[in-house]
Amino acid sequence: RYSARMNAVSLDSFAEELAALERIQEFSGRIDRDGLERSDALDLAILDLQLQSRASELRYRSYLLPLGRRSGFHFSFAGLPERSEFMTVEDYDRYIARMQSFLEHTRQQIELLREGIRTGMVMPRAVLDGYEETAAQHVTADPRESPFAEPLERVPAGFSPADRDRI
């Protein structure tokens, strides 16, 4: 049920991810590239670059800057209805669980922002101009008018009455 919740974004989770990436990089570094087919060596070189890039992001703590005017966790969450499948009861259950986990995810993001403030790693104010507009477009007075509620209005007729009522 990993996909039923939003990713953990704590300082500890990023430290664990970095440690895992470093272990993978170490393992990758021990692979004899001369013994690989050309396409496999190319794949491994691309993987090495991707691992190096993500590890650098984590070492430089880019996660302490989780939002901006054009990017951030609020953008990825806003796209949740479009990125989710709605074919089975389980699909709906995963979607609802992700929606329910947003509050905890947001709390974790706020903790990252606070750590950024504490350590002096913050975005310049000018970069955040207009940020509130990107978030405000998803706030509605009536939750049923939210784009997040739209998938819940089109539950397939083939679902059991109990599942339809629950969803």
Side-chain angles (χ1 to χ4, degrees), residues 87-90 92-93 152 154-167:
M87 311 251 320
T88 68
V89 170
E90 292 77 20
Y92 279 88
D93 286 344
L152 305 176
R154 53 181 169 87
V155 177
F159 287 10
S160 74
D163 284 332
R164 289 178 58 79
D165 287 346
R166 182 178 56 80
I167 293 171

Side-chain angles (χ1 to χ4, degrees), residues 85-153:
E85 288 188 11
F86 297 99
M87 311 251 320
T88 68
V89 170
E90 292 77 20
D91 291 339
Y92 279 88
D93 286 344
R94 274 191 295 276
Y95 178 73
I96 292 167
R98 286 185 200 120
M99 298 292 291
Q100 290 171 334
S101 71
F102 183 66
L103 181 59
E104 178 57 29
H105 186 77
T106 301
R107 286 181 181 136
Q108 292 173 355
Q109 296 286 4
I110 290 169
E111 285 305 311
L112 295 176
L113 287 165
R114 286 183 176 142
E115 177 67 9
I117 291 168
R118 188 186 72 72
T119 61
M121 189 168 178
V122 296
M123 298 288 265
R125 185 189 178 287
V127 173
L128 294 174
D129 282 345
Y131 160 77
E132 66 283 353
E133 294 167 18
T134 63
Q137 61 186 318
H138 300 290
V139 178
T140 60
D142 182 351
R144 292 172 294 198
E145 294 175 9
S146 166
F148 299 108
E150 190 274 327
L152 305 176
E153 299 298 322

Side-chain angles (χ1 to χ4, degrees), residues 8-135:
V9 291
S10 66
L11 294 173
D12 288 342
S13 70
F14 289 117
E16 290 169 10
E17 182 184 356
L18 179 58
L21 285 171
E22 288 171 341
R23 287 190 302 273
I24 295 168
Q25 286 178 300
E26 181 183 328
F27 176 80
S28 174
R30 293 193 309 258
I31 296 173
D32 177 17
R33 275 122 169 99
D34 293 334
L36 296 176
E37 296 289 329
R38 185 169 188 245
S39 62
D40 292 335
L42 180 59
D43 288 345
L44 187 56
I46 291 169
L47 175 63
D48 286 342
L49 286 172
Q50 291 172 329
L51 293 170
Q52 180 182 5
S53 176
R54 180 61 181 156
S56 292
E57 288 175 8
L58 293 169
R59 282 188 197 100
Y60 289 108
R61 301 176 62 157
S62 65
Y63 51 82
L64 296 179
L65 303 169
L67 56 86
R69 182 176 50 199
R70 294 190 187 114
S71 65
F73 75 97
H74 60 297
F75 272 97
S76 60
F77 184 71
L80 184 60
E82 291 82 30
R83 288 191 321 274
S84 300
E85 288 188 11
F86 297 99
M87 311 251 320
T88 68
V89 170
E90 292 77 20
D91 291 339
Y92 279 88
D93 286 344
R94 274 191 295 276
Y95 178 73
I96 292 167
R98 286 185 200 120
M99 298 292 291
Q100 290 171 334
S101 71
F102 183 66
L103 181 59
E104 178 57 29
H105 186 77
T106 301
R107 286 181 181 136
Q108 292 173 355
Q109 296 286 4
I110 290 169
E111 285 305 311
L112 295 176
L113 287 165
R114 286 183 176 142
E115 177 67 9
I117 291 168
R118 188 186 72 72
T119 61
M121 189 168 178
V122 296
M123 298 288 265
R125 185 189 178 287
V127 173
L128 294 174
D129 282 345
Y131 160 77
E132 66 283 353
E133 294 167 18
T134 63

